[in-house]
Amino acid sequence: MKILVTGGLGYIGSHTVVELQAAGFEVVIVDNLSNTHIEVLDKIEKISGIRPSFFEFDLADRTACSNFFKKENNIDGIIHFAAYKAVGESVEKPLMYYHNNIGSLINIMENMEQYAIQNIVFSSSCTVYGQPDKLPVDEKAPRKPALSPYGNTKQIAEDIIRDTVYSSAIKSIALRYFNPVGAHHTSLIGELPLGIPNNLLPFITQTAAGIRKQLNVFGDDYNTPDGTPIRDYIHVVDLAKAHVVAVKRMIDNKTKLNFETFNIGTGNGYSVLEVIKSFEKVSKIKLNYKIVGRREGDVEQVWADTSFANNELGWKAERSLDEMTLSAWNFQKQLDKN
Ligand code: UD1
């Protein structure tokens, strides 16, 4: 079985490629290297012993995309990660986000129709829920108006997929990720943002490594037990495994609807200060951090009701917060060594 992984050299993509290979799938990667390095391909090979085929081009380029599918259309399923994901940048450059995140999806789905490729797993996000009225949030919760163009691209993409599967033979599963963190146990792959990190875990590990002077904690006046926002952090390897389960579900014709959505989280919420405490415990490093003002657009608290994913997909996150922070730290140390 051959799976196309778009954005397969990125953070979540690379971990998913490794899990797909371990499950016996042949993997083809398309990535334009806009937010990663080609060396990740070597790292994947080092972990699995298998070098996936790799094509470097931009999926939002309609001609390049159709040229690719002309040659590579014996594909059993697609996992579509390739997208921009920085919330702040999306506010500055909305058209760049709509062009890339929406354009690439349309190009891929047009080719799926043309070449009768039936299965696509889409990278969605808990951002579609905004601040939910009820916690933990389940898949039936209403989507809230997006707080950023990035968030809006995830909602629009879900709508495009839902409308397309209605009138074609395509089936899709959208996985709504909560907060993916951590790294592979080999420390060969992990989260490596280019430039100054936006997300919490890479900012923590870079601060501990001396690359950043201080971590700013964005607000401690939220309506939560310690005043800092709460998120459902999930180990990237658990998240990667959810993709393998989703792809198998489609290939084995086990889907109950042509478009299904699942929450992919642990079901546990942790505050920013709890994440810092976990990091300090596993790394034995005192982190230099300071409470500053709130970051615009941050929701107060969100964590997943994972019962639908657990029962229907038969998947469950297994790794603890300490395993997440420790693996992120081991990856950072490995980077610094090289
Ligand atoms: C958000 C989206 C998520 C999206 C991700 C992309 C929500 C609920 N989540 O994640 O769907 O995929 O952006 O980047 O909309 N923090 C600090 N200091 C920092 C960095 C972060 O205090 O330097 C805090 C934030 O205020 C937040 C928590 O850490 O409370 C996690 O932040 P981050 O890692 O950026 O992820 P989200 O904003 O939750």
Side-chain angles (χ1 to χ4, degrees), residues 68-104:
F68 165 79
F69 278 100
K70 238 177 248 162
K71 284 178 270 160
E72 289 282 330
N73 51 45
N74 60 339
I75 289 167
D76 299 288
I78 299 175
I79 304 182
H80 180 41
F81 292 104
Y84 294 145
K85 59 154 199 170
V87 174
E89 184 185 52
S90 79
V91 176
E92 303 291 318
K93 300 173 181 166
L95 289 178
M96 187 174 107
Y97 271 67
Y98 288 115
H99 178 81
N100 189 50
N101 293 10
I102 303 302
S104 61

Side-chain angles (χ1 to χ4, degrees), residues 127-149:
T127 196
V128 301
Y129 298 121
Q131 178 60 63
D133 300 324
K134 204 178 97 217
L135 285 167
V137 64
D138 66 29
E139 291 83 352
K140 291 194 197 84
R143 298 186 326 189
K144 296 275 177 76
L147 292 171
S148 69

Side-chain angles (χ1 to χ4, degrees), residues 263-332:
N263 282 346
I264 304 297
T266 64
N268 304 312
Y270 289 103
S271 73
V272 176
L273 291 180
E274 285 175 316
V275 175
I276 293 173
K277 265 188 216 123
S278 161
F279 176 80
E280 289 184 327
K281 185 176 82 187
V282 300
S283 68
K284 302 184 181 68
I285 287 174
K286 179 92 199 69
L287 194 73
N288 183 29
Y289 71 88
K290 191 178 154 198
I291 311 285
V292 299
R294 291 182 177 196
R295 181 171 72 176
E296 207 187 324
D298 269 345
V299 307
E300 183 171 270
Q301 43 190 328
V302 61
W303 65 93
D305 181 334
T306 58
S307 44
F308 188 52
N310 298 161
N311 300 332
E312 191 57 41
L313 276 184
W315 165 91
K316 198 171 183 349
E318 286 168 355
R319 291 159 181 79
S320 67
L321 180 63
D322 287 350
E323 287 172 275
M324 302 178 209
T325 51
L326 180 60
S327 62
W329 179 231
N330 286 339
F331 178 65
Q332 181 70 51

Side-chain angles (χ1 to χ4, degrees), residues 136-314:
V137 64
D138 66 29
E139 291 83 352
K140 291 194 197 84
R143 298 186 326 189
K144 296 275 177 76
L147 292 171
S148 69
Y150 158 76
N152 208 21
T153 65
K154 293 296 172 192
Q155 297 200 0
I156 294 169
E158 284 193 358
D159 292 343
I160 290 173
I161 294 170
R162 193 201 51 226
D163 292 345
T164 308
V165 301
Y166 184 75
S167 66
S168 73
I170 297 174
K171 287 178 295 181
S172 179
I173 294 179
L175 299 180
R176 292 176 173 165
Y177 314 153
F178 283 67
N179 285 57
V181 295
H184 196 258
H185 69 88
T186 58
S187 299
L188 287 166
I189 52 175
E191 188 171 10
L192 183 52
L194 302 181
I196 302 171
N198 294 301
N199 297 109
L200 180 61
L201 243 291
F203 213 107
I204 288 178
T205 59
Q206 289 194 12
T207 304
I211 301 166
R212 313 280 155 209
K213 262 219 197 87
Q214 163 192 295
L215 168 76
N216 290 327
V217 173
F218 298 133
D220 69 348
D221 57 352
Y222 287 94
N223 186 23
T224 60
D226 66 22
T228 62
I230 293 175
R231 296 285 183 273
D232 186 337
Y233 296 92
I234 171 166
H235 197 296
V236 66
V237 172
D238 282 329
L239 173 58
K241 287 175 187 286
H243 291 80
V244 178
V245 174
V247 118
K248 279 189 182 155
R249 178 179 174 87
M250 287 193 297
I251 290 175
D252 296 344
N253 279 317
K254 298 238 171 78
T255 50
K256 299 206 170 127
L257 297 169
N258 286 345
F259 180 48
E260 297 181 323
T261 52
F262 293 99
N263 282 346
I264 304 297
T266 64
N268 304 312
Y270 289 103
S271 73
V272 176
L273 291 180
E274 285 175 316
V275 175
I276 293 173
K277 265 188 216 123
S278 161
F279 176 80
E280 289 184 327
K281 185 176 82 187
V282 300
S283 68
K284 302 184 181 68
I285 287 174
K286 179 92 199 69
L287 194 73
N288 183 29
Y289 71 88
K290 191 178 154 198
I291 311 285
V292 299
R294 291 182 177 196
R295 181 171 72 176
E296 207 187 324
D298 269 345
V299 307
E300 183 171 270
Q301 43 190 328
V302 61
W303 65 93
D305 181 334
T306 58
S307 44
F308 188 52
N310 298 161
N311 300 332
E312 191 57 41
L313 276 184

